[in-house]
Amino acid sequence: MGQVGKNLAIKTIVAIGIGAAVFVILGRFASIPTGVPNTNLNTNYAFLALMAVVFGPIAGGLIGLIGHALLDSIMWGSIWWSWVVISALVGFFIGFAGKRINIESGEFGKKQIISFNIIQATIQIIGWALLAPILDILIYAEPANKVWTQGIVIGLMNSVTVAILGTILLAAYAKTRVKSGSLKAE
Protein backbone atom coordinates (compact mmCIF):
# COMPACT_ATOMS: atom_id res chain seq x y z
CA MET A 1 0.00 0.00 0.00
CA GLY A 2 1.38 3.40 -0.96
CA GLN A 3 1.65 6.37 1.37
CA VAL A 4 -1.60 7.86 0.04
CA GLY A 5 -3.49 4.59 0.63
CA LYS A 6 -2.02 4.25 4.12
CA ASN A 7 -3.01 7.82 5.07
CA LEU A 8 -6.48 7.31 3.64
CA ALA A 9 -6.94 4.14 5.66
CA ILE A 10 -5.78 5.85 8.86
CA LYS A 11 -8.03 8.84 8.13
CA THR A 12 -11.01 6.52 7.58
CA ILE A 13 -10.35 4.51 10.75
CA VAL A 14 -10.15 7.70 12.79
CA ALA A 15 -13.37 8.93 11.13
CA ILE A 16 -15.11 5.67 12.08
CA GLY A 17 -14.07 5.99 15.72
CA ILE A 18 -14.98 9.64 16.03
CA GLY A 19 -18.13 9.15 13.95
CA ALA A 20 -19.38 6.29 16.14
CA ALA A 21 -18.70 8.34 19.29
CA VAL A 22 -20.57 11.38 17.95
CA PHE A 23 -23.42 9.10 16.76
CA VAL A 24 -23.76 7.83 20.36
CA ILE A 25 -23.58 11.31 21.90
CA LEU A 26 -26.20 12.73 19.51
CA GLY A 27 -28.41 9.67 19.97
CA ARG A 28 -28.20 9.97 23.74
CA PHE A 29 -28.45 13.73 24.20
CA ALA A 30 -29.97 15.16 20.99
CA SER A 31 -32.98 12.95 20.36
CA ILE A 32 -36.61 13.73 21.04
CA PRO A 33 -39.25 11.12 22.00
CA THR A 34 -42.09 10.85 19.49
CA GLY A 35 -44.79 9.27 21.62
CA VAL A 36 -44.37 6.01 19.69
CA PRO A 37 -42.68 3.47 22.02
CA ASN A 38 -38.87 3.31 21.67
CA THR A 39 -38.97 5.66 18.69
CA ASN A 40 -37.21 9.04 18.80
CA LEU A 41 -36.54 11.90 16.43
CA ASN A 42 -32.81 11.36 15.92
CA THR A 43 -30.28 13.98 14.90
CA ASN A 44 -27.53 11.36 14.74
CA TYR A 45 -28.69 10.16 11.30
CA ALA A 46 -27.96 13.59 9.80
CA PHE A 47 -24.42 13.27 11.16
CA LEU A 48 -24.22 9.67 9.89
CA ALA A 49 -25.22 10.90 6.42
CA LEU A 50 -22.48 13.55 6.47
CA MET A 51 -19.83 11.04 7.53
CA ALA A 52 -21.01 8.46 5.00
CA VAL A 53 -20.91 10.94 2.12
CA VAL A 54 -17.49 12.31 3.12
CA PHE A 55 -15.76 9.04 4.07
CA GLY A 56 -17.62 6.48 1.95
CA PRO A 57 -19.77 3.40 2.37
CA ILE A 58 -17.47 1.32 4.59
CA ALA A 59 -17.06 4.17 7.08
CA GLY A 60 -20.78 4.97 6.92
CA GLY A 61 -21.75 1.35 7.53
CA LEU A 62 -19.32 0.89 10.41
CA ILE A 63 -20.30 4.19 12.05
CA GLY A 64 -23.95 3.13 11.90
CA LEU A 65 -23.17 -0.37 13.18
CA ILE A 66 -20.77 0.54 15.99
CA GLY A 67 -22.55 3.75 16.97
CA HIS A 68 -26.00 2.16 17.17
CA ALA A 69 -24.72 -0.94 19.03
CA LEU A 70 -22.95 1.25 21.62
CA LEU A 71 -25.98 3.53 21.93
CA ASP A 72 -28.31 0.58 22.54
CA SER A 73 -25.93 -0.84 25.15
CA ILE A 74 -25.76 2.47 26.99
CA MET A 75 -29.44 3.42 26.77
CA TRP A 76 -31.20 0.04 27.00
CA GLY A 77 -28.62 -2.36 28.42
CA SER A 78 -28.81 -4.66 25.40
CA ILE A 79 -28.42 -4.41 21.64
CA TRP A 80 -31.47 -4.47 19.37
CA TRP A 81 -29.74 -6.06 16.38
CA SER A 82 -32.51 -5.56 13.84
CA TRP A 83 -32.19 -1.78 14.16
CA VAL A 84 -28.40 -1.86 14.43
CA VAL A 85 -28.24 -3.71 11.10
CA ILE A 86 -30.49 -1.09 9.51
CA SER A 87 -28.29 1.75 10.83
CA ALA A 88 -25.30 0.01 9.24
CA LEU A 89 -27.16 -0.44 5.94
CA VAL A 90 -28.37 3.17 5.95
CA GLY A 91 -24.81 4.43 6.52
CA PHE A 92 -23.40 2.08 3.89
CA PHE A 93 -25.89 2.90 1.16
CA ILE A 94 -25.84 6.66 1.79
CA GLY A 95 -22.03 6.45 1.58
CA PHE A 96 -22.25 4.45 -1.62
CA ALA A 97 -24.69 6.95 -3.11
CA GLY A 98 -22.52 9.81 -1.87
CA LYS A 99 -19.99 8.99 -4.57
CA ARG A 100 -22.52 10.38 -7.09
CA ILE A 101 -22.65 13.68 -5.22
CA ASN A 102 -18.84 14.20 -5.16
CA ILE A 103 -18.92 16.60 -2.20
CA GLU A 104 -15.13 17.00 -2.38
CA SER A 105 -15.59 19.07 -5.57
CA GLY A 106 -16.96 21.87 -3.40
CA GLU A 107 -20.27 21.76 -5.23
CA PHE A 108 -23.50 21.03 -3.37
CA GLY A 109 -26.10 22.94 -5.32
CA LYS A 110 -29.75 22.33 -6.06
CA LYS A 111 -29.10 19.29 -8.30
CA GLN A 112 -26.90 17.56 -5.70
CA ILE A 113 -29.28 18.44 -2.85
CA ILE A 114 -32.27 16.97 -4.70
CA SER A 115 -30.31 13.87 -5.70
CA PHE A 116 -28.98 13.36 -2.16
CA ASN A 117 -32.42 13.72 -0.60
CA ILE A 118 -34.20 11.41 -3.03
CA ILE A 119 -31.54 8.78 -2.41
CA GLN A 120 -31.35 9.15 1.38
CA ALA A 121 -35.14 9.20 1.78
CA THR A 122 -35.47 6.06 -0.34
CA ILE A 123 -32.77 4.32 1.71
CA GLN A 124 -34.39 5.41 5.01
CA ILE A 125 -37.88 4.29 3.98
CA ILE A 126 -36.71 0.91 2.67
CA GLY A 127 -34.53 0.37 5.74
CA TRP A 128 -36.77 1.58 8.54
CA ALA A 129 -40.30 1.19 7.19
CA LEU A 130 -39.76 -2.15 5.41
CA LEU A 131 -36.67 -4.09 6.55
CA ALA A 132 -36.57 -3.14 10.26
CA PRO A 133 -40.15 -4.31 10.96
CA ILE A 134 -39.57 -7.56 9.06
CA LEU A 135 -36.40 -8.21 11.09
CA ASP A 136 -38.18 -7.29 14.35
CA ILE A 137 -40.88 -9.85 13.58
CA LEU A 138 -38.44 -12.56 12.45
CA ILE A 139 -35.77 -12.10 15.14
CA TYR A 140 -37.75 -10.92 18.15
CA ALA A 141 -41.32 -12.08 17.35
CA GLU A 142 -42.51 -8.51 17.97
CA PRO A 143 -46.18 -7.66 17.31
CA ALA A 144 -46.55 -6.64 13.66
CA ASN A 145 -48.75 -3.58 14.26
CA LYS A 146 -46.22 -2.15 16.77
CA VAL A 147 -43.13 -2.59 14.59
CA TRP A 148 -44.78 -1.38 11.38
CA THR A 149 -45.87 1.79 13.20
CA GLN A 150 -42.37 2.28 14.63
CA GLY A 151 -40.74 1.61 11.26
CA ILE A 152 -42.93 3.99 9.30
CA VAL A 153 -42.57 6.77 11.90
CA ILE A 154 -38.79 6.44 12.16
CA GLY A 155 -38.36 6.09 8.39
CA LEU A 156 -40.29 9.29 7.72
CA MET A 157 -38.71 11.21 10.62
CA ASN A 158 -35.15 10.18 9.71
CA SER A 159 -35.82 11.16 6.09
CA VAL A 160 -36.99 14.62 7.13
CA THR A 161 -34.26 15.10 9.73
CA VAL A 162 -31.53 14.14 7.26
CA ALA A 163 -33.18 16.29 4.56
CA ILE A 164 -32.96 19.32 6.82
CA LEU A 165 -29.93 18.85 9.09
CA GLY A 166 -28.01 16.56 6.75
CA THR A 167 -28.40 19.00 3.87
CA ILE A 168 -27.21 21.87 6.08
CA LEU A 169 -24.18 19.85 7.24
CA LEU A 170 -23.28 18.78 3.70
CA ALA A 171 -23.68 22.31 2.34
CA ALA A 172 -21.44 23.66 5.10
CA TYR A 173 -18.87 20.94 4.42
CA ALA A 174 -18.93 21.61 0.66
CA LYS A 175 -18.09 25.26 1.35
CA THR A 176 -14.86 24.13 3.01
CA ARG A 177 -13.73 22.33 -0.15
CA VAL A 178 -11.88 23.96 -3.02
CA LYS A 179 -14.23 24.18 -5.99
CA SER A 180 -13.25 22.31 -9.14
CA GLY A 181 -11.62 24.62 -11.67
CA SER A 182 -10.76 27.30 -9.10
CA LEU A 183 -7.26 28.76 -9.14
CA LYS A 184 -6.67 27.27 -5.67
CA ALA A 185 -7.29 23.76 -7.03
CA GLU A 186 -4.48 24.03 -9.55
Side-chain angles (χ1 to χ4, degrees), residues 30-42 153 157:
S31 64
I32 303 165
T34 64
V36 175
N38 301 321
T39 307
N40 296 323
L41 180 122
N42 294 303
V153 167
M157 288 182 24

Side-chain angles (χ1 to χ4, degrees), residues 17-57:
I18 292 170
V22 173
F23 185 96
V24 170
I25 292 165
L26 290 173
R28 178 68 180 95
F29 298 108
S31 64
I32 303 165
T34 64
V36 175
N38 301 321
T39 307
N40 296 323
L41 180 122
N42 294 303
T43 58
N44 51 357
Y45 287 94
F47 179 75
L48 176 61
L50 168 70
M51 296 298 281
V53 169
V54 172
F55 293 100

Side-chain angles (χ1 to χ4, degrees), residues 80-178:
W80 198 261
W81 287 107
S82 53
W83 284 35
V84 169
V85 166
I86 300 306
S87 288
L89 291 174
V90 166
F92 177 82
F93 284 110
I94 289 175
F96 189 72
K99 292 177 183 283
R100 291 185 53 196
I101 296 167
N102 189 17
I103 197 87
E104 294 300 324
S105 70
E107 298 291 327
F108 193 63
K110 186 183 273 187
K111 181 180 172 187
Q112 291 89 351
I113 290 169
I114 291 169
S115 176
F116 166 73
N117 281 298
I118 289 170
I119 292 167
Q120 71 84 10
T122 302
I123 292 166
Q124 301 273 13
I125 297 298
I126 290 170
W128 296 112
L130 179 66
L131 298 177
I134 290 170
L135 290 173
D136 282 347
I137 292 165
L138 293 175
I139 297 170
Y140 300 108
E142 286 288 310
N145 61 340
K146 173 187 162 194
V147 296
W148 289 111
T149 300
Q150 287 175 324
I152 291 166
V153 167
I154 202 71
L156 292 172
M157 288 182 24
N158 281 355
S159 296
V160 171
T161 303
V162 172
I164 297 167
L165 295 177
T167 298
I168 291 168
L169 290 171
L170 285 165
Y173 179 82
K175 287 180 181 178
T176 69
R177 307 289 91 195
V178 176

